[in-house]
Amino acid sequence: MVLKNKCKNVAVSMWRKNMLVLSTSRSLNTLAPSFHDNRILKSPTLVSLDFPDVWTCSTANSNQPTPVPKRASEHTAKVIDGKQIAEDIISAVAVQVQRMKKTIGEVPGLGVILVGERKDSQIYVHNKMKACEEAGIKFSLTEFSDKCTDEEVCNAIMRFNSDPSFHGILVQLPLPQNLNEEKVLNVLKLEKDVDGFHPMNMGNLAMRGREPLFIPCTPKGCVELLIRSGVEIMGKKAVVIGRSNIVGLPVSLLLQRHHATVSIINELTSNPEEITREADILVSAVGVPNLVRGSWLKPGAVVVDVGTHPIEDTSCEQGYRLIGDVCYEEALRVASSITPVPGGVGPMTVAMLLYNTLESARRKYNFI
Amino acid sequence: MVLKNKCKNVAVSMWRKNMLVLSTSRSLNTLAPSFHDNRILKSPTLVSLDFPDVWTCSTANSNQPTPVPKRASEHTAKVIDGKQIAEDIISAVAVQVQRMKKTIGEVPGLGVILVGERKDSQIYVHNKMKACEEAGIKFSLTEFSDKCTDEEVCNAIMRFNSDPSFHGILVQLPLPQNLNEEKVLNVLKLEKDVDGFHPMNMGNLAMRGREPLFIPCTPKGCVELLIRSGVEIMGKKAVVIGRSNIVGLPVSLLLQRHHATVSIINELTSNPEEITREADILVSAVGVPNLVRGSWLKPGAVVVDVGTHPIEDTSCEQGYRLIGDVCYEEALRVASSITPVPGGVGPMTVAMLLYNTLESARRKYNFI
């Protein structure tokens, strides 16, 4: 009960914080835009339907305890050690970088653009820099204040585009709201898009028989964790919570390429727990701490938790600790395997970025 | 029972025809490709995992009768009249074409390329030509024998690309196997890709906050049928059977943009009927006649049947009749609405092609 309440309290406060009244949006399907008198279709434009993810949950305000499915009382899920797996991958990348250097006198290069003062973005960029150093990948950071213009950021991207010593370019997201993310990312040369966020990469990831130049790092990291943990994906039921361009969408596409039967839960899904309870593999990438309770899981499911949320905790040295989308302590008693937060998906994102940068350089130099 | 057996026999013969032993493919996830000694990731390349859709079904060879959920014995689903809706749309397109002609002296133009002698492709192209004539859209057909080269087809596309009187170009698929579909379609100018199959269009359809220049015609037609029939999509559970680039994939992406909770069933899904029974909206685009039985449906579901299969029927004038993926007679007794075959989705595909061509011309001339 103590664990359950701890999970519930954090989740409820976040839900309340995010809560918006969505009921009025429900009639959007039947709205007739006024700008088109000569309108032929009843379908509204796509953009008009595009409102931000606001997660609510029918169980959020419930005082009912959520019963965790019974397994043997001593059962504890296997914890998937993302940190160790990421280190293994970074070491293997380092070996290949050395081989490239010795053989053709070149190393992969990564150009990063950071705009603004977001603490989390600064930490992520710092981690990427450290990992590049470790692997022998050239790293260059261009920083801007959050008052900069689209043009300044685009110019920085174009410098990396035309510099042959950089094989990967990364714009740390999210950008400050005054910048136009689409416009900025469109400048990025497709063959250096190591984050894989270009629509052309996304389309090629989605389409059968096509192959993207790069697969987005976090989704690729999730799937690599599954494969290295011996989890069979093909033919399994996978449920993805969240549909962001960065994680939810590409992880659902990638799991489909691995022949899973995929369901995607969004913020308007009623009773999401009924769907998650059918999942052999559950990926949560929704940004609500402790959304996924033990009772949401099928016994023996594999859980990949992409959420990372700092919550106040005076017992920790920094005054906070990180938790995920999944109520970890409850999930441990139900799942067969689970990725922890921190130390699960996070380090894999960095490892995959290095891998994509190496692959880009290999492709350019035709170095196998 | 007569209906049930009729449905089952057709389905079983098709399954048997398509049946391949897939059990050996199941180990693909763990295969280490031999071409990469310095391999870092356990993930296989994406292409290696890409085998063709081969639909089997656990219930295919069962002699068990499939019980149809009970509704009031007189219940019959509303039949969604795709033919009438498509005619309404084509008439509305025609009005706009006339207005464009009067106002700026231009009409939309569609260039079509047909390769080979496939009877079905010839019929589809003929229907498109007739509809263009009806709507006042300029139509030009370039035909090749199935012995032609990629280069010849690409040259024809490039002629349409550079001709300003053509606003849409369509390569009738499938192409003969000796042609490289990806190479050919890549030549097509993005702003004339009225079929919406370019990866850039698909990526923009998939990504939130982006908007594709064109939405593929059949998926757009399916969603337009739903909206015109007063079916709410937002917040509903939608299940898509099939994941082709032409229908399954884009319809699943489009339903997500309309905020449905979407599950995609593929040929490796075990017990697909358990998933379809949860669907408020079911779209079947799989190419197996009568795959979807009445027992696969939730009472009151809305069923969109994209399949079109000619089956021998000596009682018909032509010696054959068309049926869909859904066992229509059984579904009529369970669903709340259903699209018939023929006369459901098929005519909508043509109407949406005309709509996309008109939109392309409007965009070019900035004609609102």
Side-chain angles (χ1 to χ4, degrees), chain A residues 38 40 42-43 49-51 99 208-209 224 228 259 261 263 269, chain B residues 38 40 42-43 49-51 99 208-209 224 228 259 261 263 269:
Chain A
N38 49 24
I40 294 166
K42 305 279 183 191
S43 314
L49 274 169
D50 220 27
F51 50 77
R99 199 171 65 87
R208 303 193 79 193
E224 189 66 22
R228 289 193 180 233
H259 306 291
T261 300
S263 301
T269 304
Chain B
N38 47 26
I40 295 167
K42 304 280 182 192
S43 313
L49 274 169
D50 221 24
F51 49 78
R99 199 170 64 87
R208 302 193 79 193
E224 188 66 20
R228 288 192 179 234
H259 306 292
T261 301
S263 302
T269 304

PDB file of all heavy atoms in Angstrom, chain A residues 38 40 42-43 49-51 99 208-209 224 228 259 261 263 269, chain B residues 38 40 42-43 49-51 99 208-209 224 228 259 261 263 269:
ATOM      1  N   ASN A  38     -15.916  26.864 -50.745  1.00  0.00           N
ATOM      2  CA  ASN A  38     -16.056  25.867 -51.797  1.00  0.00           C
ATOM      3  C   ASN A  38     -15.486  24.528 -51.356  1.00  0.00           C
ATOM      4  O   ASN A  38     -14.853  23.828 -52.116  1.00  0.00           O
ATOM      5  CB  ASN A  38     -15.339  26.359 -53.056  1.00  0.00           C
ATOM      6  CG  ASN A  38     -13.938  26.852 -52.730  1.00  0.00           C
ATOM      7  OD1 ASN A  38     -13.375  26.429 -51.712  1.00  0.00           O
ATOM      8  ND2 ASN A  38     -13.380  27.690 -53.567  1.00  0.00           N
ATOM      9  N   ILE A  40     -14.997  20.766 -50.448  1.00  0.00           N
ATOM     10  CA  ILE A  40     -15.532  19.540 -51.032  1.00  0.00           C
ATOM     11  C   ILE A  40     -15.613  18.419 -49.989  1.00  0.00           C
ATOM     12  O   ILE A  40     -16.583  17.708 -49.901  1.00  0.00           O
ATOM     13  CB  ILE A  40     -14.664  19.099 -52.231  1.00  0.00           C
ATOM     14  CG1 ILE A  40     -14.786  20.141 -53.331  1.00  0.00           C
ATOM     15  CG2 ILE A  40     -15.070  17.718 -52.724  1.00  0.00           C
ATOM     16  CD1 ILE A  40     -13.765  20.026 -54.412  1.00  0.00           C
ATOM     17  N   LYS A  42     -15.541  16.616 -46.180  1.00  0.00           N
ATOM     18  CA  LYS A  42     -15.938  16.859 -44.794  1.00  0.00           C
ATOM     19  C   LYS A  42     -14.730  16.781 -43.865  1.00  0.00           C
ATOM     20  O   LYS A  42     -14.779  17.251 -42.735  1.00  0.00           O
ATOM     21  CB  LYS A  42     -16.964  15.811 -44.338  1.00  0.00           C
ATOM     22  CG  LYS A  42     -18.185  15.703 -45.206  1.00  0.00           C
ATOM     23  CD  LYS A  42     -19.194  16.780 -44.899  1.00  0.00           C
ATOM     24  CE  LYS A  42     -20.441  16.589 -45.753  1.00  0.00           C
ATOM     25  NZ  LYS A  42     -21.342  17.712 -45.697  1.00  0.00           N
ATOM     26  N   SER A  43     -13.643  16.106 -44.327  1.00  0.00           N
ATOM     27  CA  SER A  43     -12.465  15.977 -43.475  1.00  0.00           C
ATOM     28  C   SER A  43     -11.924  17.344 -43.136  1.00  0.00           C
ATOM     29  O   SER A  43     -11.707  18.159 -44.027  1.00  0.00           O
ATOM     30  CB  SER A  43     -11.344  15.214 -44.190  1.00  0.00           C
ATOM     31  OG  SER A  43     -11.840  14.070 -44.820  1.00  0.00           O
ATOM     32  N   LEU A  49      -6.661  19.497 -36.404  1.00  0.00           N
ATOM     33  CA  LEU A  49      -6.926  18.445 -35.431  1.00  0.00           C
ATOM     34  C   LEU A  49      -5.761  18.224 -34.478  1.00  0.00           C
ATOM     35  O   LEU A  49      -5.820  17.367 -33.611  1.00  0.00           O
ATOM     36  CB  LEU A  49      -7.200  17.133 -36.166  1.00  0.00           C
ATOM     37  CG  LEU A  49      -8.621  16.907 -36.610  1.00  0.00           C
ATOM     38  CD1 LEU A  49      -8.705  15.732 -37.542  1.00  0.00           C
ATOM     39  CD2 LEU A  49      -9.505  16.674 -35.399  1.00  0.00           C
ATOM     40  N   ASP A  50      -4.712  18.937 -34.691  1.00  0.00           N
ATOM     41  CA  ASP A  50      -3.471  18.619 -34.007  1.00  0.00           C
ATOM     42  C   ASP A  50      -3.318  19.426 -32.734  1.00  0.00           C
ATOM     43  O   ASP A  50      -2.777  20.529 -32.743  1.00  0.00           O
ATOM     44  CB  ASP A  50      -2.312  18.923 -34.968  1.00  0.00           C
ATOM     45  CG  ASP A  50      -1.259  17.864 -34.843  1.00  0.00           C
ATOM     46  OD1 ASP A  50      -1.589  16.731 -34.473  1.00  0.00           O
ATOM     47  OD2 ASP A  50      -0.102  18.213 -35.088  1.00  0.00           O
ATOM     48  N   PHE A  51      -3.831  18.912 -31.643  1.00  0.00           N
ATOM     49  CA  PHE A  51      -3.611  19.618 -30.385  1.00  0.00           C
ATOM     50  C   PHE A  51      -2.599  18.865 -29.541  1.00  0.00           C
ATOM     51  O   PHE A  51      -2.305  17.706 -29.785  1.00  0.00           O
ATOM     52  CB  PHE A  51      -4.917  19.879 -29.646  1.00  0.00           C
ATOM     53  CG  PHE A  51      -5.811  18.707 -29.469  1.00  0.00           C
ATOM     54  CD1 PHE A  51      -5.552  17.748 -28.504  1.00  0.00           C
ATOM     55  CD2 PHE A  51      -6.935  18.551 -30.268  1.00  0.00           C
ATOM     56  CE1 PHE A  51      -6.393  16.674 -28.341  1.00  0.00           C
ATOM     57  CE2 PHE A  51      -7.768  17.465 -30.098  1.00  0.00           C
ATOM     58  CZ  PHE A  51      -7.498  16.525 -29.141  1.00  0.00           C
ATOM     59  N   ARG A  99      39.828   1.870 -35.718  1.00  0.00           N
ATOM     60  CA  ARG A  99      40.148   1.137 -36.951  1.00  0.00           C
ATOM     61  C   ARG A  99      40.047   2.076 -38.155  1.00  0.00           C
ATOM     62  O   ARG A  99      40.901   2.074 -39.046  1.00  0.00           O
ATOM     63  CB  ARG A  99      39.162  -0.034 -37.101  1.00  0.00           C
ATOM     64  CG  ARG A  99      39.625  -1.131 -38.048  1.00  0.00           C
ATOM     65  CD  ARG A  99      38.711  -2.350 -37.962  1.00  0.00           C
ATOM     66  NE  ARG A  99      37.359  -2.069 -38.411  1.00  0.00           N
ATOM     67  CZ  ARG A  99      36.949  -2.149 -39.686  1.00  0.00           C
ATOM     68  NH1 ARG A  99      37.791  -2.504 -40.641  1.00  0.00           N
ATOM     69  NH2 ARG A  99      35.697  -1.889 -40.000  1.00  0.00           N
ATOM     70  N   ARG A 208       7.322  -0.254 -45.954  1.00  0.00           N
ATOM     71  CA  ARG A 208       7.952  -1.547 -46.182  1.00  0.00           C
ATOM     72  C   ARG A 208       8.796  -1.495 -47.443  1.00  0.00           C
ATOM     73  O   ARG A 208       8.454  -0.818 -48.405  1.00  0.00           O
ATOM     74  CB  ARG A 208       6.893  -2.625 -46.319  1.00  0.00           C
ATOM     75  CG  ARG A 208       6.010  -2.689 -45.109  1.00  0.00           C
ATOM     76  CD  ARG A 208       5.177  -3.931 -45.111  1.00  0.00           C
ATOM     77  NE  ARG A 208       5.968  -5.051 -44.683  1.00  0.00           N
ATOM     78  CZ  ARG A 208       5.590  -6.319 -44.825  1.00  0.00           C
ATOM     79  NH1 ARG A 208       4.459  -6.593 -45.403  1.00  0.00           N
ATOM     80  NH2 ARG A 208       6.352  -7.298 -44.399  1.00  0.00           N
ATOM     81  N   GLY A 209       9.923  -2.198 -47.414  1.00  0.00           N
ATOM     82  CA  GLY A 209      10.785  -2.247 -48.584  1.00  0.00           C
ATOM     83  C   GLY A 209      11.683  -1.031 -48.718  1.00  0.00           C
ATOM     84  O   GLY A 209      12.534  -0.966 -49.599  1.00  0.00           O
ATOM     85  N   GLU A 224      16.996  -2.310 -29.349  1.00  0.00           N
ATOM     86  CA  GLU A 224      18.268  -2.982 -29.103  1.00  0.00           C
ATOM     87  C   GLU A 224      18.294  -3.599 -27.704  1.00  0.00           C
ATOM     88  O   GLU A 224      18.797  -4.711 -27.509  1.00  0.00           O
ATOM     89  CB  GLU A 224      19.413  -1.977 -29.294  1.00  0.00           C
ATOM     90  CG  GLU A 224      20.800  -2.571 -29.275  1.00  0.00           C
ATOM     91  CD  GLU A 224      21.091  -3.515 -30.439  1.00  0.00           C
ATOM     92  OE1 GLU A 224      20.423  -3.427 -31.483  1.00  0.00           O
ATOM     93  OE2 GLU A 224      21.990  -4.374 -30.280  1.00  0.00           O
ATOM     94  N   ARG A 228      18.893  -7.545 -27.155  1.00  0.00           N
ATOM     95  CA  ARG A 228      20.013  -8.013 -26.315  1.00  0.00           C
ATOM     96  C   ARG A 228      19.542  -8.738 -25.056  1.00  0.00           C
ATOM     97  O   ARG A 228      20.322  -9.435 -24.418  1.00  0.00           O
ATOM     98  CB  ARG A 228      20.900  -6.836 -25.928  1.00  0.00           C
ATOM     99  CG  ARG A 228      21.675  -6.330 -27.115  1.00  0.00           C
ATOM    100  CD  ARG A 228      22.781  -5.394 -26.684  1.00  0.00           C
ATOM    101  NE  ARG A 228      23.500  -4.945 -27.845  1.00  0.00           N
ATOM    102  CZ  ARG A 228      24.811  -5.031 -27.974  1.00  0.00           C
ATOM    103  NH1 ARG A 228      25.548  -5.523 -27.010  1.00  0.00           N
ATOM    104  NH2 ARG A 228      25.393  -4.608 -29.072  1.00  0.00           N
ATOM    105  N   HIS A 259       7.902  -6.792 -36.898  1.00  0.00           N
ATOM    106  CA  HIS A 259       6.764  -7.717 -37.018  1.00  0.00           C
ATOM    107  C   HIS A 259       6.010  -7.953 -35.720  1.00  0.00           C
ATOM    108  O   HIS A 259       5.468  -9.046 -35.505  1.00  0.00           O
ATOM    109  CB  HIS A 259       7.210  -9.038 -37.649  1.00  0.00           C
ATOM    110  CG  HIS A 259       7.900  -8.844 -38.958  1.00  0.00           C
ATOM    111  ND1 HIS A 259       7.237  -8.414 -40.076  1.00  0.00           N
ATOM    112  CD2 HIS A 259       9.201  -8.971 -39.326  1.00  0.00           C
ATOM    113  CE1 HIS A 259       8.094  -8.299 -41.072  1.00  0.00           C
ATOM    114  NE2 HIS A 259       9.291  -8.626 -40.639  1.00  0.00           N
ATOM    115  N   THR A 261       2.679  -6.927 -33.425  1.00  0.00           N
ATOM    116  CA  THR A 261       1.338  -6.359 -33.596  1.00  0.00           C
ATOM    117  C   THR A 261       1.276  -5.170 -32.649  1.00  0.00           C
ATOM    118  O   THR A 261       1.337  -5.336 -31.442  1.00  0.00           O
ATOM    119  CB  THR A 261       0.269  -7.394 -33.207  1.00  0.00           C
ATOM    120  OG1 THR A 261       0.424  -8.531 -34.048  1.00  0.00           O
ATOM    121  CG2 THR A 261      -1.133  -6.821 -33.355  1.00  0.00           C
ATOM    122  N   SER A 263      -0.152  -1.595 -30.959  1.00  0.00           N
ATOM    123  CA  SER A 263      -1.260  -0.675 -30.643  1.00  0.00           C
ATOM    124  C   SER A 263      -0.655   0.594 -30.058  1.00  0.00           C
ATOM    125  O   SER A 263       0.280   0.515 -29.247  1.00  0.00           O
ATOM    126  CB  SER A 263      -2.203  -1.279 -29.605  1.00  0.00           C
ATOM    127  OG  SER A 263      -2.731  -2.491 -30.064  1.00  0.00           O
ATOM    128  N   THR A 269      -7.390   7.949 -25.313  1.00  0.00           N
ATOM    129  CA  THR A 269      -7.770   6.542 -25.173  1.00  0.00           C
ATOM    130  C   THR A 269      -8.498   6.342 -23.843  1.00  0.00           C
ATOM    131  O   THR A 269      -7.956   6.698 -22.792  1.00  0.00           O
ATOM    132  CB  THR A 269      -6.520   5.647 -25.198  1.00  0.00           C
ATOM    133  OG1 THR A 269      -5.790   5.901 -26.391  1.00  0.00           O
ATOM    134  CG2 THR A 269      -6.883   4.177 -25.121  1.00  0.00           C
TER     135      THR A 269
ATOM    136  N   ASN B  38      32.545  -6.712 -38.006  1.00  0.00           N
ATOM    137  CA  ASN B  38      32.718  -5.712 -36.945  1.00  0.00           C
ATOM    138  C   ASN B  38      31.368  -5.166 -36.503  1.00  0.00           C
ATOM    139  O   ASN B  38      31.225  -3.981 -36.263  1.00  0.00           O
ATOM    140  CB  ASN B  38      33.601  -4.582 -37.462  1.00  0.00           C
ATOM    141  CG  ASN B  38      33.156  -4.115 -38.835  1.00  0.00           C
ATOM    142  OD1 ASN B  38      31.982  -4.273 -39.170  1.00  0.00           O
ATOM    143  ND2 ASN B  38      34.062  -3.548 -39.599  1.00  0.00           N
ATOM    144  N   ILE B  40      28.225  -4.080 -34.417  1.00  0.00           N
ATOM    145  CA  ILE B  40      28.078  -3.553 -33.067  1.00  0.00           C
ATOM    146  C   ILE B  40      26.719  -3.899 -32.492  1.00  0.00           C
ATOM    147  O   ILE B  40      26.595  -4.294 -31.343  1.00  0.00           O
ATOM    148  CB  ILE B  40      28.291  -2.018 -33.077  1.00  0.00           C
ATOM    149  CG1 ILE B  40      29.741  -1.720 -33.467  1.00  0.00           C
ATOM    150  CG2 ILE B  40      27.959  -1.413 -31.718  1.00  0.00           C
ATOM    151  CD1 ILE B  40      30.002  -0.280 -33.808  1.00  0.00           C
ATOM    152  N   LYS B  42      22.954  -5.790 -32.183  1.00  0.00           N
ATOM    153  CA  LYS B  42      22.317  -7.088 -32.398  1.00  0.00           C
ATOM    154  C   LYS B  42      21.172  -6.959 -33.393  1.00  0.00           C
ATOM    155  O   LYS B  42      20.709  -7.945 -33.944  1.00  0.00           O
ATOM    156  CB  LYS B  42      21.748  -7.631 -31.084  1.00  0.00           C
ATOM    157  CG  LYS B  42      22.756  -7.744 -29.966  1.00  0.00           C
ATOM    158  CD  LYS B  42      23.597  -8.972 -30.094  1.00  0.00           C
ATOM    159  CE  LYS B  42      24.553  -9.066 -28.912  1.00  0.00           C
ATOM    160  NZ  LYS B  42      25.577 -10.079 -29.099  1.00  0.00           N
ATOM    161  N   SER B  43      20.660  -5.715 -33.580  1.00  0.00           N
ATOM    162  CA  SER B  43      19.542  -5.516 -34.501  1.00  0.00           C
ATOM    163  C   SER B  43      19.944  -5.941 -35.898  1.00  0.00           C
ATOM    164  O   SER B  43      20.983  -5.518 -36.392  1.00  0.00           O
ATOM    165  CB  SER B  43      19.134  -4.042 -34.571  1.00  0.00           C
ATOM    166  OG  SER B  43      19.022  -3.498 -33.311  1.00  0.00           O
ATOM    167  N   LEU B  49      14.574  -8.148 -42.529  1.00  0.00           N
ATOM    168  CA  LEU B  49      13.366  -8.579 -41.834  1.00  0.00           C
ATOM    169  C   LEU B  49      12.118  -8.428 -42.691  1.00  0.00           C
ATOM    170  O   LEU B  49      11.029  -8.762 -42.259  1.00  0.00           O
ATOM    171  CB  LEU B  49      13.173  -7.736 -40.573  1.00  0.00           C
ATOM    172  CG  LEU B  49      13.898  -8.213 -39.337  1.00  0.00           C
ATOM    173  CD1 LEU B  49      13.849  -7.166 -38.269  1.00  0.00           C
ATOM    174  CD2 LEU B  49      13.270  -9.500 -38.832  1.00  0.00           C
ATOM    175  N   ASP B  50      12.309  -7.914 -43.884  1.00  0.00           N
ATOM    176  CA  ASP B  50      11.158  -7.520 -44.666  1.00  0.00           C
ATOM    177  C   ASP B  50      10.719  -8.610 -45.620  1.00  0.00           C
ATOM    178  O   ASP B  50      11.151  -8.679 -46.751  1.00  0.00           O
ATOM    179  CB  ASP B  50      11.524  -6.263 -45.463  1.00  0.00           C
ATOM    180  CG  ASP B  50      10.379  -5.297 -45.466  1.00  0.00           C
ATOM    181  OD1 ASP B  50       9.553  -5.344 -44.555  1.00  0.00           O
ATOM    182  OD2 ASP B  50      10.324  -4.511 -46.415  1.00  0.00           O
ATOM    183  N   PHE B  51       9.854  -9.497 -45.158  1.00  0.00           N
ATOM    184  CA  PHE B  51       9.343 -10.498 -46.093  1.00  0.00           C
ATOM    185  C   PHE B  51       7.909 -10.155 -46.471  1.00  0.00           C
ATOM    186  O   PHE B  51       7.260  -9.365 -45.799  1.00  0.00           O
ATOM    187  CB  PHE B  51       9.494 -11.912 -45.548  1.00  0.00           C
ATOM    188  CG  PHE B  51       8.998 -12.121 -44.162  1.00  0.00           C
ATOM    189  CD1 PHE B  51       7.654 -12.251 -43.909  1.00  0.00           C
ATOM    190  CD2 PHE B  51       9.887 -12.206 -43.099  1.00  0.00           C
ATOM    191  CE1 PHE B  51       7.203 -12.457 -42.630  1.00  0.00           C
ATOM    192  CE2 PHE B  51       9.429 -12.406 -41.808  1.00  0.00           C
ATOM    193  CZ  PHE B  51       8.088 -12.537 -41.570  1.00  0.00           C
ATOM    194  N   ARG B  99     -15.046  26.569 -62.171  1.00  0.00           N
ATOM    195  CA  ARG B  99     -14.785  27.882 -61.603  1.00  0.00           C
ATOM    196  C   ARG B  99     -13.335  28.317 -61.908  1.00  0.00           C
ATOM    197  O   ARG B  99     -13.051  29.464 -62.252  1.00  0.00           O
ATOM    198  CB  ARG B  99     -15.007  27.826 -60.075  1.00  0.00           C
ATOM    199  CG  ARG B  99     -15.225  29.183 -59.413  1.00  0.00           C
ATOM    200  CD  ARG B  99     -15.664  29.019 -57.969  1.00  0.00           C
ATOM    201  NE  ARG B  99     -14.669  28.395 -57.127  1.00  0.00           N
ATOM    202  CZ  ARG B  99     -13.698  29.053 -56.495  1.00  0.00           C
ATOM    203  NH1 ARG B  99     -13.586  30.366 -56.616  1.00  0.00           N
ATOM    204  NH2 ARG B  99     -12.848  28.411 -55.742  1.00  0.00           N
ATOM    205  N   ARG B 208       3.424  14.457 -36.156  1.00  0.00           N
ATOM    206  CA  ARG B 208       2.519  15.490 -35.628  1.00  0.00           C
ATOM    207  C   ARG B 208       3.076  16.867 -35.953  1.00  0.00           C
ATOM    208  O   ARG B 208       4.292  17.075 -35.958  1.00  0.00           O
ATOM    209  CB  ARG B 208       2.379  15.340 -34.119  1.00  0.00           C
ATOM    210  CG  ARG B 208       1.853  13.967 -33.745  1.00  0.00           C
ATOM    211  CD  ARG B 208       1.422  13.934 -32.318  1.00  0.00           C
ATOM    212  NE  ARG B 208       0.125  14.539 -32.172  1.00  0.00           N
ATOM    213  CZ  ARG B 208      -0.413  14.882 -31.011  1.00  0.00           C
ATOM    214  NH1 ARG B 208       0.276  14.711 -29.894  1.00  0.00           N
ATOM    215  NH2 ARG B 208      -1.607  15.411 -30.944  1.00  0.00           N
ATOM    216  N   GLY B 209       2.200  17.797 -36.253  1.00  0.00           N
ATOM    217  CA  GLY B 209       2.631  19.167 -36.530  1.00  0.00           C
ATOM    218  C   GLY B 209       3.118  19.347 -37.952  1.00  0.00           C
ATOM    219  O   GLY B 209       3.430  20.462 -38.358  1.00  0.00           O
ATOM    220  N   GLU B 224     -12.982   9.675 -45.159  1.00  0.00           N
ATOM    221  CA  GLU B 224     -14.067  10.543 -45.611  1.00  0.00           C
ATOM    222  C   GLU B 224     -15.413   9.816 -45.527  1.00  0.00           C
ATOM    223  O   GLU B 224     -16.417  10.416 -45.139  1.00  0.00           O
ATOM    224  CB  GLU B 224     -13.770  11.003 -47.046  1.00  0.00           C
ATOM    225  CG  GLU B 224     -14.706  12.057 -47.577  1.00  0.00           C
ATOM    226  CD  GLU B 224     -14.621  13.399 -46.867  1.00  0.00           C
ATOM    227  OE1 GLU B 224     -13.599  13.672 -46.216  1.00  0.00           O
ATOM    228  OE2 GLU B 224     -15.602  14.173 -46.946  1.00  0.00           O
ATOM    229  N   ARG B 228     -18.451  11.272 -43.318  1.00  0.00           N
ATOM    230  CA  ARG B 228     -19.752  11.565 -43.957  1.00  0.00           C
ATOM    231  C   ARG B 228     -20.872  10.665 -43.423  1.00  0.00           C
ATOM    232  O   ARG B 228     -22.039  10.976 -43.618  1.00  0.00           O
ATOM    233  CB  ARG B 228     -19.640  11.391 -45.472  1.00  0.00           C
ATOM    234  CG  ARG B 228     -18.842  12.510 -46.082  1.00  0.00           C
ATOM    235  CD  ARG B 228     -18.965  12.507 -47.585  1.00  0.00           C
ATOM    236  NE  ARG B 228     -18.206  13.607 -48.122  1.00  0.00           N
ATOM    237  CZ  ARG B 228     -18.699  14.538 -48.943  1.00  0.00           C
ATOM    238  NH1 ARG B 228     -19.942  14.496 -49.321  1.00  0.00           N
ATOM    239  NH2 ARG B 228     -17.924  15.506 -49.380  1.00  0.00           N
ATOM    240  N   HIS B 259      -7.014  10.978 -34.075  1.00  0.00           N
ATOM    241  CA  HIS B 259      -7.040  10.696 -32.637  1.00  0.00           C
ATOM    242  C   HIS B 259      -7.774   9.432 -32.254  1.00  0.00           C
ATOM    243  O   HIS B 259      -8.371   9.338 -31.173  1.00  0.00           O
ATOM    244  CB  HIS B 259      -7.606  11.898 -31.871  1.00  0.00           C
ATOM    245  CG  HIS B 259      -6.877  13.159 -32.186  1.00  0.00           C
ATOM    246  ND1 HIS B 259      -5.580  13.371 -31.813  1.00  0.00           N
ATOM    247  CD2 HIS B 259      -7.255  14.259 -32.879  1.00  0.00           C
ATOM    248  CE1 HIS B 259      -5.188  14.545 -32.247  1.00  0.00           C
ATOM    249  NE2 HIS B 259      -6.179  15.115 -32.911  1.00  0.00           N
ATOM    250  N   THR B 261      -7.408   5.406 -31.239  1.00  0.00           N
ATOM    251  CA  THR B 261      -6.409   4.480 -30.680  1.00  0.00           C
ATOM    252  C   THR B 261      -6.296   3.343 -31.673  1.00  0.00           C
ATOM    253  O   THR B 261      -7.248   2.596 -31.866  1.00  0.00           O
ATOM    254  CB  THR B 261      -6.885   3.939 -29.324  1.00  0.00           C
ATOM    255  OG1 THR B 261      -7.080   5.042 -28.449  1.00  0.00           O
ATOM    256  CG2 THR B 261      -5.878   2.974 -28.736  1.00  0.00           C
ATOM    257  N   SER B 263      -4.686  -0.047 -33.580  1.00  0.00           N
ATOM    258  CA  SER B 263      -3.900  -1.291 -33.537  1.00  0.00           C
ATOM    259  C   SER B 263      -3.760  -1.800 -34.959  1.00  0.00           C
ATOM    260  O   SER B 263      -4.731  -1.753 -35.727  1.00  0.00           O
ATOM    261  CB  SER B 263      -4.601  -2.369 -32.713  1.00  0.00           C
ATOM    262  OG  SER B 263      -4.831  -1.919 -31.404  1.00  0.00           O
ATOM    263  N   THR B 269       0.206 -11.974 -36.570  1.00  0.00           N
ATOM    264  CA  THR B 269      -0.605 -11.784 -35.367  1.00  0.00           C
ATOM    265  C   THR B 269      -1.346 -13.073 -35.037  1.00  0.00           C
ATOM    266  O   THR B 269      -2.067 -13.602 -35.887  1.00  0.00           O
ATOM    267  CB  THR B 269      -1.636 -10.661 -35.608  1.00  0.00           C
ATOM    268  OG1 THR B 269      -0.942  -9.474 -36.000  1.00  0.00           O
ATOM    269  CG2 THR B 269      -2.452 -10.390 -34.354  1.00  0.00           C
TER     270      THR B 269
END
